[in-house]
Amino acid sequence: MRIDLVSLFPELHSAVLGTSIPKRAAEKGLVTYHVTDIRDFGEGNYQKVDDRPFGGGPGMVMMPQVLAAATDAALAVDPMPARRLILSPVGRRLDQPFVDQLATEDRLLIVATHYEGYDERFVEEYELEEVSLGDFVTSGGELPALVLIDAVVRLIPGVLGHDDGPRQDSFAPDVDRLLEGPQYTRPREWRGRSVPDILMSGDHAKINAWRHAQRLTRTRARRPDLLPGE
């Protein structure tokens, strides 16, 4: 997979993409990251990228011609078609089924804007899919873009040590969408708290039944909306 990221802060992304799972994916040759700096396409001596909104209001809006120039530059490097995304609190909410879908793409182009927002004409012109992490607002799209990338990359076959691992995570669509249950490791006793005896029994059928019951209990308490018929 090729991932193009169009952003004002390339140094922020390089630090994250060069660490942990995203780094491992790149080292295995399963994904390549390409960051385009929007500031390089800013206007004038100060490389201006934003301006005041028409109609008044707080903040500054990123200009369509600057975003377009940066996006065109990113797209021109490779003829492969890209699925185009932009991070925004007004977009569709990112969930596991959508992440699974994105993980099957050959190329993603992700635009991360900053300040008050972006000119709507840019989104319309480039047919960008607006994506939100949830019902909250961050100071820019950079961190949400990195969350999206991490969620997608870990699903690429061969990235993780065990390809079945993601299928056992919370929200996995091909299992049951229940939250993941509690996990334990050594030591068996820690600050007066013991690992449940069932996990030490060696009876895998009973362990699996216990784990499923824990997932149901946790989901019912924390996310009852995920349960069928709830």
Side-chain angles (χ1 to χ4, degrees), residues 93-104:
R93 183 177 295 187
L94 185 69
D95 57 18
Q96 195 61 49
F98 188 32
V99 170
D100 281 12
Q101 185 184 122
L102 295 177
T104 66

Side-chain angles (χ1 to χ4, degrees), residues 31-199:
V31 62
T32 58
Y33 308 110
H34 308 270
V35 183
T36 300
D37 190 345
I38 297 173
R39 185 70 64 182
D40 290 343
F41 302 87
E43 298 184 341
N45 294 333
Y46 296 99
Q47 295 180 292
K48 185 179 178 64
V49 300
D50 58 354
D51 209 331
R52 293 184 297 275
F54 282 122
M60 303 287 279
V61 176
M62 296 192 71
M63 298 185 291
Q65 69 275 24
V66 174
L67 291 171
T71 301
D72 286 341
L75 290 171
V77 174
D78 192 313
M80 184 191 309
R83 186 160 183 175
R84 306 174 184 185
L85 311 170
I86 186 168
L87 278 300
S88 169
V90 305
R92 64 166 291 181
R93 183 177 295 187
L94 185 69
D95 57 18
Q96 195 61 49
F98 188 32
V99 170
D100 281 12
Q101 185 184 122
L102 295 177
T104 66
E105 300 286 346
D106 293 324
R107 184 183 185 188
L108 298 177
L109 182 135
I110 304 169
V111 181
T113 61
H114 208 79
Y115 309 120
E116 183 63 23
Y118 44 79
D119 191 299
E120 186 69 18
R121 293 169 294 180
F122 168 65
V123 174
E124 295 170 352
E125 178 70 18
Y126 285 83
E127 299 181 329
L128 294 163
E129 297 178 66
E130 294 171 299
V131 183
S132 169
L133 291 195
D135 297 339
F136 59 92
V137 178
T138 60
S139 56
E142 299 83 18
L143 294 177
L146 289 170
V147 171
L148 185 155
I149 291 171
D150 183 85
V152 168
V153 166
R154 66 190 300 275
L155 295 183
I156 299 174
V159 171
L160 299 181
H162 198 306
D163 285 344
D164 287 338
R167 303 275 67 84
Q168 299 173 18
D169 291 338
S170 299
F171 314 114
D174 54 352
V175 183
D176 49 26
R177 298 188 73 236
L178 299 179
L179 298 181
E180 189 172 3
Q183 301 282 358
Y184 300 89
T185 188
R186 293 177 176 80
R188 184 171 180 179
E189 298 280 343
W190 180 76
R191 295 188 178 181
R193 300 174 184 271
S194 300
V195 174
D197 291 337
I198 185 65
L199 297 178

Side-chain angles (χ1 to χ4, degrees), residues 206-221:
K206 289 183 178 179
I207 290 172
N208 288 337
W210 179 87
R211 283 177 169 162
H212 183 68
Q214 291 295 311
R215 298 180 71 215
L216 278 171
T217 298
R218 178 172 285 187
T219 304
R220 186 170 290 112

